[in-house]
């Protein structure tokens, strides 16, 4: 069934958010702070691990750094574009709208939880690769694996940040659903080089999300999202 991978992924995020909220009620403030730090460190190392795989590759029997110029240009140009569009504020506005519509007006942490969780589970090559495989071959393996990872991350985040994390299922459903639907058109564009660039820059952004979990508000990650588009474009102009 085409689309099953995204459906399972969305359900895993929603379930992780709800379960995390239930469990979090029994945690003391100190335990919640410690868990949030653990979650931040976990996300940082997921991002760093992926980044280092792309950055350091074996060439001629020795390690070589690659893609540095692509990474720098993508992040710089992408951040300028994202800042001009003020994407961070737009995502926060959507979070505020969700908060009102779902009756969580008194939850001051809702928007921050929604933004952090959404960026964590939406940014990354697995979402794109898995959705393309789902749309063309009805192969759900990548998205099923992503669903397990997202469930573990979201349940931890939700236990500390609250119900806002569960609503990260919405942008995941929209993004992956669109890529799955457009897979026949998008697949030829996603060459190995394009996917490598996407994974490289995406993992850096995931690392930034982890830093924000440890040090809230330090990096406007949403304003950096256009860097993903620049990274893909780089594969075709170089």
């Amino acid at each position: 069934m085409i689309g099953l991978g995204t459906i399972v992924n969305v359900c895993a995020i929603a379930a992780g958010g709800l379960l995390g909220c239930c469990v979090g009620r029994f945690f003391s403030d100190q335990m919640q702070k410690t868990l949030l730090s653990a979650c931040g460190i976990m996300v940082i190392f997921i991002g760093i691990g992926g980044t280092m795989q792309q950055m350091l590759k074996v060439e001629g029997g020795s390690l070589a750094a690659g893609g540095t110029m692509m990474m720098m240009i993508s992040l710089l140009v992408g951040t300028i574009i994202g800042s001009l569009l003020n994407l961070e504020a737009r995502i926060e506005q959507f979070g505020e709208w969700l908060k009102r519509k779902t009756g969580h007006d008194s939850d001051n942490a809702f928007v921050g939880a929604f933004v952090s969780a959404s960026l964590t589970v939406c940014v990354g090559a697995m979402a794109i690769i898995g959705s393309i495989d789902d749309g063309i071959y009805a192969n759900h393996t990548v998205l099923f694996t992503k669903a397990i990872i997202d469930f573990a991350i979201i349940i931890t985040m939700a236990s500390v940040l609250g119900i806002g994390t569960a609503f990260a299922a919405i942008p995941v459903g929209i993004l992956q659903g669109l890529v799955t639907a457009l897979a026949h058109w998008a697949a030829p564009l996603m060459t190995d080089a394009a996917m490598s660039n996407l994974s490289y820059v995406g993992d850096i952004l995931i690392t930034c999300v982890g830093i924000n979990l440890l040090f809230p508000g330090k990096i406007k990650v949403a304003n950096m999202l256009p860097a993903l588009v620049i990274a893909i474009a780089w594969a075709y102009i170089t």
Side-chain angles (χ1 to χ4, degrees):
M1 173 184 168
I2 292 177
L4 180 61
T6 292
I7 293 172
V8 171
N9 199 174
V10 166
C11 291
I13 292 170
L18 293 173
L19 184 58
C21 288
C22 293
V23 173
R25 295 175 182 176
F26 302 101
F27 294 161
S28 65
D29 289 344
Q30 183 60 44
M31 184 178 291
Q32 287 184 348
K33 291 178 181 178
T34 304
L35 276 173
L36 184 60
S37 297
C39 189
I41 293 170
M42 176 176 62
V43 173
I44 285 173
F45 274 93
I46 288 174
I48 289 176
T51 301
M52 296 307 292
Q53 281 185 329
Q54 298 296 325
M55 180 178 286
L56 299 178
K57 297 182 179 180
V58 177
E59 294 180 1
S62 60
L63 283 176
T68 304
M69 183 60 68
M70 179 280 300
M71 177 266 290
M72 293 171 61
I73 296 299
S74 296
L75 289 175
L76 289 173
V77 175
T79 300
I80 291 172
I81 295 172
S83 297
L84 291 174
L85 296 174
N86 204 5
L87 294 180
E88 185 93 8
R90 296 181 187 278
I91 294 176
E92 289 177 352
Q93 287 170 2
F94 181 60
E96 290 285 356
W97 179 83
L98 277 177
K99 183 171 77 170
R100 292 194 302 271
K101 292 297 182 181
T102 56
H104 293 90
D105 291 313
S106 60
D107 186 355
N108 294 327
F110 184 97
V111 176
F114 168 73
V115 173
S116 295
S118 296
L119 291 172
T120 301
V121 296
C122 283
V123 175
M126 288 185 78
I128 305 300
I129 296 173
S131 298
I132 290 174
D133 283 349
D134 194 348
I136 295 179
Y137 308 111
N139 181 354
H140 317 304
T141 304
V142 174
L143 289 185
F144 282 173
T145 302
K146 180 176 180 291
I148 295 171
I149 296 172
D150 289 351
F151 178 80
I153 292 173
I154 293 299
I155 194 172
T156 306
M157 293 179 71
S159 67
V160 181
L161 299 177
I163 192 64
T165 55
F167 290 91
I170 295 175
V172 165
I174 294 172
L175 171 64
Q176 293 180 186
L178 284 174
V179 174
T180 297
L182 297 172
H184 287 287
W185 172 80
L189 299 177
M190 300 307 294
T191 62
D192 290 342
M195 289 308 308
S196 177
N197 290 355
L198 173 66
S199 180
Y200 190 171
V201 176
D203 284 324
I204 291 174
L205 297 189
I206 288 174
T207 303
C208 293
V209 173
I211 293 173
N212 275 350
L213 289 174
L214 287 175
F215 309 102
K218 294 297 182 182
I219 305 173
K220 293 186 179 297
V221 183
N223 284 349
M224 302 168 71
L225 288 176
L228 298 172
V229 179
I230 304 299
I232 294 173
W234 185 274
Y236 303 100
I237 61 178
T238 57

